[in-house]
Amino acid sequence: TDAEVNIRKKTFTEVQTERSEQAERTVLIKCPPRLNEKKLLQYLSSHGNINSHFFFENRGIHALIEFSEKDSIASLQDAIGIPSAAEHHVVPFKSRLFTFTLKNPVSQAAEEIPVHLSPQSHIPVKELIQKLCHADSISSQMYVLLNEYQLTEENIKLRFLACSLVRDFARAYFPDSTVKPFGSSVNTFGKLGCDVDMFLDFHDIQKHAIKMKKGPFEMEYQMKRLPSERLATQKILSVIGDCLDHFGPGCMSVQKILNARCPLVKFSHQPTGFQCDLSVSNSIAIKSSELLYIYGCLDSRVRALVFSVRCWARVHGLTNSVPGSWITNFSLTMMVMFFLQKRSPPIIPTLDQLKELADEKDKHVIGGYDCSFVSDLSKIKPTKNTETLDVLLGDFFEYFGNFDFRKNSINLRKGKEVNKPESSPLYIWNPFEQDLNISKNVNQPQLEKFVAMARESAWILQKEDKTQRMINKEPWGLAALLIPFGKSNPNKVKNRMKGIGSETIRSLLDSLKLNNANSLQKAVGK
């Protein structure tokens, strides 16, 4: 029935396609400082029907306008002029980024009415802690955190628009190419302010396979051949990086990092305010994004737990925005998934179980790795597990505070601990590239710090007297875990760190005594 179709959760690919298509009908306008929303929309509507719009602040007020028809953009572009080149010469690239100023600002100033601005960043941890103290359970605290940190509908639209604007550039060279976001922008685990990972894709393989069958000839394009795919990727990214750098409106600080394991171009996209990383199609990365999307959609507790654990890790300097020997957010997320697979009954299925549910169209073998799993969420049976997030948060810290990291590794395909194939301190199997450890970068001191913090957190949750803390107006529950632990009483921590390697205990205790999260991060960053 129609009602059921509406309830059915869309597949990852459906959502991606829909949002990419929306972005193609969207423009971004830098608005005049004194803005009358009604007048702006009235004018824009003369070019075609507007589906949706919102305003946000980013060095002045900007409006994202999504038209119903793509033609409306062409109509609007016909009316838009090129900036006068008095002191600067302009690069005449016509994009979908426009600046509007009032022709007669004085007479129109009186009509100014403040517009509603959509926030594009999350509140600071200090403010978050105050909000959490007003909740009535740890579970509601975790949902408050999720609602404050998760990507909003508006922010997601802005991310897809950034990709669509880069695609316009790529199409100057490769008319069939697309630019799609992957990773945290689309896997349901992104937080406001995270980078946009995007990749350039050249092949719509499905369409071609069908066309190729007709006619008596094998037909193919003559194309330049290069000795390796890597070299082709580097050349393509180099040219598109230069193009963004020289001609891209609002593309600043373009860095080409072509010798990395995965070559990429980093740049700051000022009109949308995003840091962007552009690479060339990586099918396995897309599959990882889709897997997390499925897990995130299956049960609301999944995302609530991941967001809380990641915020906790950040506060205690366990994760860091610069690469190093810290645990990454991706590794942490996989640890949470593993923990949820291990519950009794399990809250989410293992990857092998998802593979068993896959049908023909879900079969994907990429570079020799089997990446098949079901894409239709309705085929996955909902969990019978009814545990609260209060229980799950405490048990997560308890579980990993006592996990035998020396012997065991974390395997999401099987949903069970298996012997480590090699001696990395933390071994988490890459769900698809089965011979890779996604946490290979993590060293022993960092792992021990994680274990110490997990034990400390489990202990706080077990021992605390919630009612007393609420009466004393002290942070309780999740809020108590988001304050660096050395602050209240470093001696308590000492006693609970027995059994942790002596080489890191000293530096750990020093970092715990430091008086705030910043100095904690510096201590870890040395």
Side-chain angles (χ1 to χ4, degrees):
T1 64
D2 282 348
E4 277 173 5
V5 169
N6 287 339
I7 294 166
R8 180 179 84 83
K9 287 195 171 148
K10 295 176 178 144
T11 67
F12 178 74
T13 313
E14 286 166 349
V15 174
Q16 295 295 90
T17 307
E18 192 176 302
R19 289 202 180 273
S20 298
E21 197 271 319
Q22 258 177 1
E24 291 189 21
R25 295 182 270 108
T26 300
V27 301
L28 192 59
I29 299 171
K30 190 174 191 336
C31 300
R34 298 215 162 108
L35 172 68
N36 181 318
E37 176 173 356
K38 197 169 157 210
K39 274 209 152 144
L40 177 69
L41 295 176
Q42 215 173 350
Y43 169 70
L44 290 168
S45 298
S46 67
H47 292 283
N49 184 43
I50 295 173
N51 252 5
S52 73
H53 75 282
F54 67 87
F55 295 93
F56 65 99
E57 159 63 44
N58 169 26
R59 306 169 190 209
I61 290 179
H62 292 253
L64 178 141
I65 310 284
E66 182 206 322
F67 286 105
S68 310
E69 303 291 333
K70 219 173 159 178
D71 302 349
S72 309
I73 295 181
S75 159
L76 176 59
Q77 280 174 321
D78 280 346
I80 287 181
I82 285 171
S84 54
E87 63 269 41
H88 297 293
H89 282 284
V90 295
V91 172
F93 179 80
K94 294 175 182 167
S95 71
R96 286 175 284 143
L97 299 165
F98 314 128
T99 301
F100 283 25
T101 42
L102 293 171
K103 285 181 180 168
N104 189 350
V106 184
S107 67
Q108 296 182 356
E111 305 172 8
E112 180 192 357
I113 304 163
V115 294
H116 168 71
L117 298 173
S118 302
Q120 303 301 318
S121 59
H122 61 75
I123 58 174
V125 174
K126 276 202 173 108
E127 274 176 55
L128 175 70
I129 288 174
Q130 288 169 347
K131 276 200 172 180
L132 296 181
C133 292
H134 299 306
D136 57 1
S137 66
I138 288 181
S139 179
S140 12
Q141 286 184 327
M142 291 167 74
Y143 283 117
V144 168
L145 183 144
L146 176 63
N147 284 320
E148 289 294 338
Y149 273 45
Q150 68 183 348
L151 301 183
T152 58
E153 180 61 25
E154 292 81 11
N155 189 266
I156 293 171
K157 284 186 169 167
L158 209 47
R159 287 168 185 272
F160 275 85
L161 176 63
C163 293
S164 181
L165 293 169
V166 173
R167 184 214 64 171
D168 290 348
F169 263 95
R171 288 204 169 168
Y173 295 97
F174 307 105
D176 295 334
S177 60
T178 55
V179 174
K180 298 175 188 159
F182 69 97
S184 54
S185 297
V186 297
N187 65 16
T188 75
F189 294 97
K191 72 166 184 181
L192 285 170
C194 68
D195 294 357
V196 181
D197 292 309
M198 44 176 89
F199 74 91
L200 198 53
D201 207 1
F202 303 104
H203 18 255
D204 219 347
I205 303 164
Q206 284 75 24
K207 283 185 193 162
H208 266 285
I210 300 157
K211 286 185 192 163
M212 296 278 282
K213 290 183 180 150
K214 298 182 178 150
F217 300 109
E218 287 289 342
M219 302 179 289
E220 59 181 32
Y221 286 103
Q222 294 181 17
M223 289 179 171
K224 201 170 185 80
R225 292 176 189 272
L226 291 168
S228 73
E229 185 180 11
R230 182 175 170 83
L231 190 61
T233 297
Q234 288 169 326
K235 284 181 186 282
I236 291 164
L237 283 176
S238 179
V239 168
I240 288 175
D242 285 342
C243 192
L244 289 170
D245 197 11
H246 298 320
F247 309 139
C251 293
M252 313 293 277
S253 329
V254 179
Q255 284 176 285
K256 300 192 288 187
I257 306 168
L258 302 179
N259 290 323
R261 193 176 78 91
C262 176
L264 77 158
V265 174
K266 279 177 117 52
F267 62 97
S268 163
H269 191 256
Q270 284 192 323
T272 57
F274 293 125
Q275 268 309 117
C276 304
D277 283 359
L278 174 69
S279 51
V280 168
S281 176
N282 175 345
S283 318
I284 287 190
I286 298 293
K287 278 289 161 197
S288 297
S289 305
E290 180 175 2
L291 178 65
L292 284 173
Y293 170 86
I294 288 174
Y295 283 148
C297 291
L298 283 180
D299 191 292
S300 66
R301 291 170 292 181
V302 177
R303 295 173 63 237
L305 185 55
V306 168
F307 274 77
S308 292
V309 168
R310 294 207 310 206
C311 184
W312 165 84
R314 192 65 199 261
V315 165
H316 297 295
L318 296 170
T319 53
N320 200 305
S321 51
V322 289
S325 54
W326 296 272
I327 294 178
T328 62
N329 272 328
F330 183 56
S331 292
L332 263 185
T333 305
M334 289 308 190
M335 289 168 89
V336 175
M337 297 305 150
F338 183 71
F339 167 75
L340 295 173
Q341 290 174 341
K342 296 275 299 173
R343 300 310 283 172
S344 173
I347 293 179
I348 55 172
T350 66
L351 186 48
D352 280 345
Q353 288 163 338
L354 293 178
K355 184 179 158 183
E356 279 165 31
L357 296 170
D359 58 20
E360 268 316 300
K361 71 173 187 324
D362 295 327
K363 296 243 184 299
H364 292 280
V365 176
I366 303 167
Y369 297 107
D370 189 344
C371 302
S372 313
F373 56 85
V374 67
S375 58
D376 178 351
L377 289 152
S378 62
K379 290 187 182 164
I380 305 168
K381 285 197 180 71
T383 175
K384 298 235 177 1
N385 181 306
T386 57
E387 292 174 297
T388 64
L389 280 166
D390 302 49
V391 170
L392 292 171
L393 184 67
D395 282 6
F396 173 84
F397 293 128
E398 181 84 10
Y399 179 75
F400 282 114
N402 296 299
F403 188 90
D404 187 352
F405 286 109
R406 271 176 309 211
K407 179 170 147 253
N408 289 329
S409 65
I410 292 170
N411 187 319
L412 281 98
R413 275 206 166 267
K414 305 196 170 28
K416 54 172 186 261
E417 300 112 345
V418 290
N419 283 344
K420 275 205 258 191
E422 48 103 345
S423 63
S424 296
L426 173 61
Y427 197 103
I428 305 173
W429 296 68
N430 181 313
F432 301 115
E433 300 177 77
Q434 280 285 286
D435 41 7
L436 293 183
N437 170 13
I438 62 172
S439 49
K440 202 176 175 60
N441 63 308
V442 180
N443 64 16
Q444 193 62 33
Q446 284 303 321
L447 178 63
E448 288 178 7
K449 185 174 176 187
F450 170 79
V451 170
M453 296 296 182
R455 287 182 187 177
E456 175 69 0
S457 303
W459 194 87
I460 289 175
L461 291 176
Q462 278 160 19
K463 292 285 178 285
E464 84 171 358
D465 180 346
K466 173 182 153 189
T467 329
Q468 194 52 51
R469 295 197 74 120
M470 289 172 97
I471 295 166
N472 297 352
K473 302 239 182 304
E474 292 179 292
W476 58 276
L478 177 60
L481 303 184
L482 298 183
I483 297 167
F485 295 147
K487 269 191 168 170
S488 49
N489 180 355
N491 295 330
K492 281 200 307 200
V493 184
K494 275 185 187 166
N495 306 331
R496 282 190 297 283
M497 290 182 37
K498 296 194 169 89
I500 292 175
S502 57
E503 79 257 31
T504 47
I505 197 155
R506 206 168 290 103
S507 64
L508 244 169
L509 283 167
D510 290 344
S511 71
L512 287 173
K513 281 179 196 155
L514 293 168
N515 54 3
N516 64 17
N518 284 351
S519 49
L520 185 60
Q521 265 198 329
K522 284 185 194 117
V524 177
K526 272 178 190 160

